Amino acid sequence: MNIAVPSEKLKPADFASDQEVRWCPGCGDYAILKAVQRTLPDLDTPKEKYVFVSGIGCSSRFPYYMSTYGFHTIHGRAPAFATGIKITNPDLDVWMVTGDGDGFSIGGNHMLHVLRRNVNIQILLCNNEIYGLTKGQYSPTSEIGLRTPSSPTGSVDRPLKPLVFTLGAGARFAARGYDTQKTLPEILKRAHAHQGTSMVEILQNCIVYNDAVFDNVLARNVAADKQVHVQHGHPLIFGADKNMGIRLNTNTLTLEAVTIGENGVTEDDILVHDEKNRSLATMLAEMDGDELPVAMGVLFCDPAETYENGITQQMDAAQDATTPSIDALLRKGPTWRV
Amino acid sequence: MNELTIKSGPNSSDRKEVPSVVIRFAGDSGDGIQITGSRFTDTTALVGNDLATFPDFPAEIRAPIGTTFGVSAFQINFGSRRIETHGDVPDVLVALNPAALMVNIARLKTGGTIIVDSGTFTDRNLKKAGYLENPLEDGSLDGFSVLKIDIAKLVLEAVKEFGLSQKEGLRCKNFWVLGLIFWIYGRSRQNTVDWLNKKFASRPEIANANIAALNAGHVFGEVSELGDGIELYSIPAAEMPPGLYRTITGGEALAWGLVAGAELADLRIFFGSYPITPASPVLHSLAKMKQFGVKTFQAEDEIAAICSAIGASYAGALGITSSSGPGIALKGEAIGLAISTELPLIIVNSQRAGPSTGLPTKTEQSDLYQAVYGRNADAPLVVLASRSPADCFDVAIEACRLAAKYMTPVMLLTDGYIGNAAEPWLIPTVADKKPFPVNRDIDPEGFLPFARDPATLARPWAVPGTPGLEHRIGGIEKEVGSGNISYEPANHQEMTDIRRNKILGIAKDIPAQIVESGDETGDLAVVGWGSTYGPISRAVNNKLAEGKNVSHIHIRHIWPFPENLETLLRGFKKVIVPEMNDGQLKTVLRDQFLIDAKPVNKVTGQPFKITEIEDAIDLALES
């Protein structure tokens, strides 16, 4: 073994594999790939410990483009593979990359269970509200009425909100960002630091089949009014003039957008973000840019024991208790000699 | 009551010595029939009889009491000679209600003994069981020796001092019956007393009540005139190879074999599974083996179970998953991925009757096609089959060896019958077995994830966490050597050829096919696989004793077949293949060797009887 010990800090380019990236020109996945490659050098993990696991779909080609260990698995099942990997070797730094169809349609069941179990992995959900690889059918996050080859008269399927699902499943970390967001690496670092399943929904543009689907939230001219970037301990203030805020209507137990200085609203009325408050996080996750802005950043982070730690502790306890011998085991219980 | 001095059995001179006996216990599924059976099994094993058991229970946990579809049964064949099956026809039927009698009477040997709980033969119960007349009174049981005992009444009397409710008291009925049977066959109660004390350590009143019932049943035997035709028996110890023995079920043997195999391979086990009848006992056994570094994961479904196991193999453990046919069907796509990524994986299939949900608690061997052919595209893997409960141990070790050495999924076929049945087992010593450690020291210099060992055609197992070996794998076709994605037509042909040849090459690394009994060539070969071993073996030996020219060949390595199998089969004028399916091994033999193998099929959910195989042999030899 002649392993070159890197004397210098790894660079983003060190995480790019020698494989040609084959997403459509202009795909949001390029930006997400770059964000991940910019994030990893700043983490305290040796390169050989990274494992990228994916299912099937455009975003699931992700592992091939990383010069880490990678496993491109089958449609919807990446959470189960990631769980097996993490239980087997908790030292590995497991990242799962999935899409809205892979993660929440065919893989909805596995997603539910990996989130509730709290396996310590990072999930990057590239949500483009469409099926790209199968050429443009509506997905479980598509809006009602979307016309696609499989819904020529408009989809009647009600869309699922991935972060509401995530919080409902009992996950301990939920965050949202978007593909070209300059601060996406900061969100990814928070996800990585969290011990447990970290769900990061990344709004991702599909330039071919669902172009500009998030423009009502992400377009330069509306971004300030349609996004609220949440930060633990800080008031939920947004708007081009930083004079809009989110207030809890105590009569309806719902959130509402208010303008500071209008109708007697003061800064004291604005909710302060508490990332340990699951109820607040769920209400923030519901906000869709219609009446209320879309929440970006870490909506929820409340660590709890991880699944693999639970297993490891039981294993350690069992192994402390006895010196195992398979031959002794075979001879335990009623035996007789002939 | 625990201190009660247990008298030894009567003098052997009072008893009629017989070479073997078949008893069938039957009752309602709440009567504790399986416990009665397994207690009798343990005690019988301890006196040195050879034995085979057949737990035969309904799919419903608790069908309505007294109905025919709620009847649970346990059959045991034990003797001083070698026992190969659970016995074609019971000598004794214990029927704890009319339904149990109704369901099982047709199996009983002519002139056999029936022991019934006469108190349950009420108008209501008779009607529920479908009797128009009371069979205990209408003469329909003439020709059998019938012992009518109001067991419920006697049990309640025996346990009344323990202050149990009537319901709890009646729960001791099975131990009363066991006590009586122990008397008839001259068995000690001590082992059962110890078992009850341990089992109910936290509820001594329950232990004591059951012990009282056990003793009362025994005493009833001692003091009663049991009636015409009912004698006391003794069954001498069987002649078996010397050594230390225990009883074992297939489920336990399989779990222990996997742990032993992983130890010999120097690997840790990851077992991902989803509960399904009759595969669950393997999960239960392995979940208790954390001290051996066994990690078990009860997944959310069958697909997650196998995917987690493949992930574990990728991460360097020996990934194992277990299910029954319908669950294996769900795992199909993931099996293809494991074949494509060439990772070790063991898939245990405890077969049951089907298709679909079929008869989930009944046995069948009908997943052979599924194992050999049942995936999309050209997806070869190794298929092994175990033949008996104890054999599961050896086959599990072989599965570990082949999976790790050849970087391949291995399908291990067992079935509900083998999994639940018990037999005496000459305990092997794992420490004496030759280890087959996996060599994972891989040099990054020139590393290619899909390079090949020229001898085995296996690719290297490059485990995440190893510096310098970072690489990507997946289901998309891989370029020869590099493993990079490749859509090249010629490359796909070459990879398909490699995957096929890797598996077929394993034929060079497995034992040659032997003939179990009979000559190496001759008039007729009876070819079997899996749990039909017992009845085929006994039937062929019976026919050999009659001077017939017949041989028994039992196949463990089903894919690939042993190299000499074709030559061996061509040495026989005729080949018949008894299977508990509609002719699956028959098809594979014809396919591979173009021989005229003839099917002998039974798909009733019940194992073959020896006589059925004997008839098939006679027919084949005569025609």
Side-chain angles (χ1 to χ4, degrees), chain A residues 330-331 335-338, chain B residues 241-246 425-428:
Chain A
L330 303 187
R331 284 157 181 78
T335 59
W336 69 96
R337 192 165 281 283
V338 172
Chain B
L244 189 69
Y245 282 79
R246 67 175 301 143
W425 184 40
L426 178 58
I427 305 172

Side-chain angles (χ1 to χ4, degrees), chain B residues 372-562:
Chain B
V372 175
Y373 304 122
R375 289 162 294 283
N376 69 297
D378 296 305
L381 47 62
V382 177
V383 182
L384 304 176
S386 61
R387 61 170 62 162
S388 73
D391 188 51
C392 286
F393 185 80
D394 298 325
V395 175
I397 291 176
E398 176 73 343
C400 294
R401 181 180 79 88
L402 295 177
K405 182 171 179 182
Y406 291 90
M407 296 290 284
T408 177
V410 174
M411 182 89 73
L412 195 171
L413 296 171
T414 174
D415 62 38
Y417 173 46
I418 298 177
N420 290 317
E423 68 178 348
W425 184 40
L426 178 58
I427 305 172
T429 301
V430 179
D432 294 345
K433 290 186 187 285
K434 195 170 170 238
F436 39 83
V438 178
N439 183 6
R440 278 205 303 250
D441 291 334
I442 295 163
D443 188 346
E445 195 67 43
F447 166 72
L448 288 176
F450 283 81
R452 304 271 158 200
D453 177 319
T456 61
L457 295 184
R459 77 174 188 92
W461 194 355
V463 174
T466 315
L469 302 187
E470 290 87 348
H471 67 285
R472 277 64 56 195
I473 61 171
I476 300 182
E477 186 59 285
K478 287 146 285 287
E479 184 180 70
V480 170
S482 77
N484 291 333
I485 290 178
S486 171
Y487 291 92
E488 281 297 314
N491 181 75
H492 180 50
Q493 179 75 53
E494 190 176 351
M495 285 299 281
T496 303
D497 293 349
I498 289 171
R499 285 188 287 262
R500 180 223 306 125
N501 292 339
K502 180 175 86 165
I503 300 303
L504 292 182
I506 292 172
K508 298 193 290 280
D509 191 18
I510 59 177
Q513 182 63 51
I514 59 158
V515 178
E516 299 293 326
S517 52
D519 295 333
E520 301 270 317
T521 59
D523 290 343
L524 176 66
V526 184
V527 181
W529 66 282
S531 69
T532 50
Y533 181 80
I536 295 177
S537 176
R538 178 46 60 85
V540 168
N541 281 314
N542 289 350
K543 288 295 154 186
L544 284 169
E546 288 176 18
K548 300 279 172 66
N549 187 338
V550 57
S551 299
H552 176 199
I553 294 169
H554 215 76
I555 304 176
R556 164 180 290 180
H557 291 84
I558 290 179
W559 197 272
F561 283 133

